[in-house]
Amino acid sequence: MSATVVEARSGRGGEDRPVVVIGAGPAGLAAAEHLLDAGVRVVVLDGAPQVGGLSRSVQLWGEPYDLGPHSFYSSSHPESVRRWLDLAGAAGGLERTVARRGAVWRGRAVAFPPGPRDVLRAVGPAGALALAASRSAARLPARRADAPPRTAHDALVARHGRAVVEELFVPYCRKYLGVGPQQLSAAFADKLLGTRAGFSGPVELLTPARGTGAVWEELARRLRERGARILLGTTVTGLDTEDGRISAVTARDAGGESTLPVRAVVSSVPPPLLLRWLPGAATSRTAPAPGAGGPALRSRDTYLVHLLVEGEVGQQAHYVTAYDESLRVGRLTNTRAWRPQRFAGAPRTVLCAEFWSSGEDDLAARSDSELAQLAVAELPAFGVDRGVRVVDCDVLRLPRSVPVLSLGHEAVLAGVDERLDAYPNLVRVGRHGRHDWDGQEDSLLTGRSIGAHVLALPA
Ligand SMILES: Cc1cc2nc3c(=O)[nH]c(=O)nc-3n(C[C@H](O)[C@H](O)[C@H](O)COP(=O)(O)OP(=O)(O)OC[C@H]3O[C@@H](n4cnc5c(N)ncnc54)[C@H](O)[C@@H]3O)c2cc1C
């Protein structure tokens, strides 16, 4: 019998129907904790076999590894840091390192942010002068625009100067998000590396000794201890409505499909999915714009190629980002840098090469072994010693893992809000639920932002 059916039976008759949380990632788990604190019965459903969502760790070659660079900054929101440190402490402790970041810029591996010598190496004396002049001009009060910037491009130019934006941010946005910063909302600029508060000066990274996923496993353990049901391998496939409210959730697990009566739903999945599940809903994978042919809520895929390499690799940075469109790898993470104590003396190093894709481009069409070959071929461009011996590899595809804050997405989101907010017992949290470029610290906060009107709903 399906586990969800068991839950459904206990909820029959309308007594003590649970609040169902869709997704056991950081936001869903934080929401479940908040609901338990309010004395509400909670059932968390997740289609994946483990908790943690995109912040889970994967077991490779006998060790847990995060999905790409999973940094938690000691300069994050104090409430998030406090909660996260408490969980990480109980999950096996953590390692603290000062971030070393690198960039591939015009084919050269340099430090990031680049120092004067890096700039000279990348663009030569004339280019360096042009960049310095453009940066200085951006800082002149007379040049500051009165109107708030409309696009990410405007916001970045105001902060860094046009030449810096053309050199670094344009190729980065194209690779990462598939469009230039002219097509991205100004809100995105605030979230970009180097422009966000707390990124100037040394940045301390907090890395759980047993991987970031251990933090979320620990939170799940605590929630179960307090009575929450967390049903993994259970994918939500539909929502029922009655009198303008969500009345039930349909989910599929190994035992089949079943329907669970609910008091309310907290969702951490993309709004287009919710719209598809609701009556009169759109059928597309993206939420439609208010007018036909307008922008939609877009997301990008991430493909991770983990490479097991003999010895150390030469490149010491935590991660190196390619601001260079001639390379297909977007970012290379050296896992040894994140947990130097854990990997001290380890005979092999695990590197993680990250590709970003629309889901329909030539990267998506490549087989796993083709992606791995591409990653290996580009290692030297990232400063990895030539001739390193790659012993094994693993490829993991993360569809729709990066919400794109396109120009005009706020208007699309407002239309979606209007449709979904019509259901008073439906709440959206997290990176996908809110369609924002959120990290773990944001998930910890938005997961706990469920309004009192939902907490107080009768069972
Ligand atoms: C490559 C990469 C690097 C990142 N680096 C960082 C970083 O350095 N620092 C940082 O803080 N953050 C980073 N992030 C972002 C971080 O992983 C996310 O912000 C965080 O995991 C979001 O939590 P969430 O709960 O909102 O969503 P998710 O973690 O995506 O969780 C959503 C959950 O919903 C489940 N789900 C989806 N559909 C259904 C369905 N129909 N039924 C049931 N369950 C469903 C999924 O299985 C998933 O477990 C990175 C992300 C990626 C992809």
Side-chain angles (χ1 to χ4, degrees):
M1 183 196 297
S2 145
T4 327
V5 171
V6 176
E7 279 300 324
R9 292 213 171 136
S10 64
R12 256 185 208 149
E15 291 133 27
D16 197 19
R17 286 167 304 164
V19 172
V20 163
V21 178
I22 310 176
L29 294 177
E33 186 180 43
H34 188 47
L35 290 159
L36 284 180
D37 290 347
V40 175
R41 195 161 84 88
V42 179
V43 177
V44 184
L45 307 178
D46 200 305
Q50 66 187 102
V51 303
L54 292 172
S55 300
R56 69 190 183 275
S57 302
V58 287
Q59 198 70 23
L60 292 170
W61 306 296
E63 183 70 28
Y65 292 99
D66 294 349
L67 307 184
H70 255 85
S71 10
F72 200 91
Y73 303 106
S74 58
S75 57
S76 298
H77 190 283
E79 175 61 12
S80 291
V81 173
R82 190 187 65 72
R83 301 187 76 82
W84 192 91
L85 282 178
D86 174 48
L87 292 165
L94 51 82
E95 294 203 33
R96 291 173 183 265
T97 51
V98 173
R100 284 180 310 234
R101 287 164 285 159
V104 185
W105 182 15
R106 292 208 188 188
R108 291 177 193 277
V110 296
F112 193 91
R117 285 174 61 184
D118 296 314
V119 178
L120 273 176
R121 278 184 61 216
V123 294
L129 267 178
L131 288 174
S134 146
R135 265 183 87 86
S136 307
R139 289 184 180 151
L140 288 176
R143 287 289 183 95
R144 294 212 181 112
D146 290 336
R150 197 174 68 90
T151 68
H153 193 272
D154 297 344
L156 291 166
V157 167
R159 222 167 296 182
H160 297 286
R162 188 168 298 279
V164 174
V165 173
E166 298 304 326
E167 277 291 330
L168 295 172
F169 290 102
V170 168
Y172 173 74
C173 290
R174 280 205 205 124
K175 284 187 75 167
Y176 187 37
L177 301 169
V179 292
Q182 296 275 22
Q183 279 85 49
L184 294 168
S185 155
F188 181 70
D190 284 333
K191 302 207 164 194
L192 271 176
L193 190 74
T195 61
R196 186 168 157 176
F199 274 106
S200 53
V203 175
E204 187 183 42
L205 300 179
L206 310 175
T207 309
R210 294 189 195 144
T212 296
V215 168
W216 307 111
E217 296 283 351
E218 170 61 19
L219 179 52
R221 187 191 65 74
R222 291 182 186 185
L223 298 180
R224 285 189 172 113
E225 222 170 63
R226 294 177 60 193
R229 297 288 312 270
I230 302 177
L231 305 177
L232 301 175
T234 307
T235 303
V236 173
T237 55
L239 298 174
D240 288 350
T241 59
E242 207 176 291
D243 299 332
R245 308 172 87 84
I246 311 290
S247 55
V249 168
T250 300
R252 193 184 54 241
D253 63 15
E257 198 161 76
S258 51
T259 297
L260 172 61
V262 297
R263 178 194 308 202
V265 169
V266 177
S267 167
S268 65
V269 305
L273 210 52
L274 287 179
L275 287 172
R276 258 200 299 168
W277 291 337
L278 287 165
T283 49
S284 79
R285 276 172 42 145
T286 54
L297 293 184
R298 284 200 310 117
S299 298
R300 300 265 291 170
D301 293 2
T302 309
Y303 305 145
L304 301 177
V305 179
H306 284 96
L307 301 168
L308 181 65
V309 179
E310 283 292 3
E312 300 199 21
V313 295
Q315 175 54 261
Q316 304 289 310
H318 286 76
Y319 56 88
V320 178
T321 306
Y323 296 82
D324 188 322
E325 289 182 274
S326 66
L327 296 174
R328 302 308 305 277
V329 172
R331 191 160 52 176
L332 187 77
T333 301
N334 181 350
T335 61
R336 198 183 267 273
W338 297 76
R339 290 182 282 167
Q341 290 166 32
R342 180 95 172 178
F343 295 124
R348 290 169 171 174
T349 303
V350 171
L351 299 173
C352 178
E354 217 171 308
F355 294 96
W356 301 309
S357 161
S358 66
E360 291 165 349
D361 53 19
D362 70 303
L363 287 172
R366 286 178 200 239
S367 68
D368 286 358
S369 73
E370 286 168 341
L371 277 182
Q373 279 169 23
L374 190 52
V376 172
E378 292 191 354
L379 288 181
F382 285 80
V384 172
D385 292 338
R386 278 181 194 281
V388 288
R389 203 165 83 80
V390 178
V391 184
D392 201 1
C393 69
D394 180 87
V395 177
L396 181 64
R397 296 183 193 239
L398 307 170
R400 283 179 274 167
S401 43
V402 182
V404 180
L405 307 190
S406 312
L407 196 59
H409 83 282
E410 291 95 341
V412 181
L413 211 46
V416 169
D417 286 347
E418 200 179 317
R419 289 174 69 182
L420 294 178
D421 290 350
Y423 298 93
N425 63 343
L426 174 65
V427 182
R428 285 170 291 136
V429 297
R431 178 178 173 100
H432 315 288
R434 295 161 7 103
H435 193 82
D436 208 346
W437 202 53
D438 280 354
Q440 299 169 83
E441 75 270 26
D442 305 296
S443 293
L444 274 169
L445 293 176
T446 67
R448 296 186 68 83
S449 66
I450 300 164
H453 70 289
V454 173
L455 300 178
L457 282 172

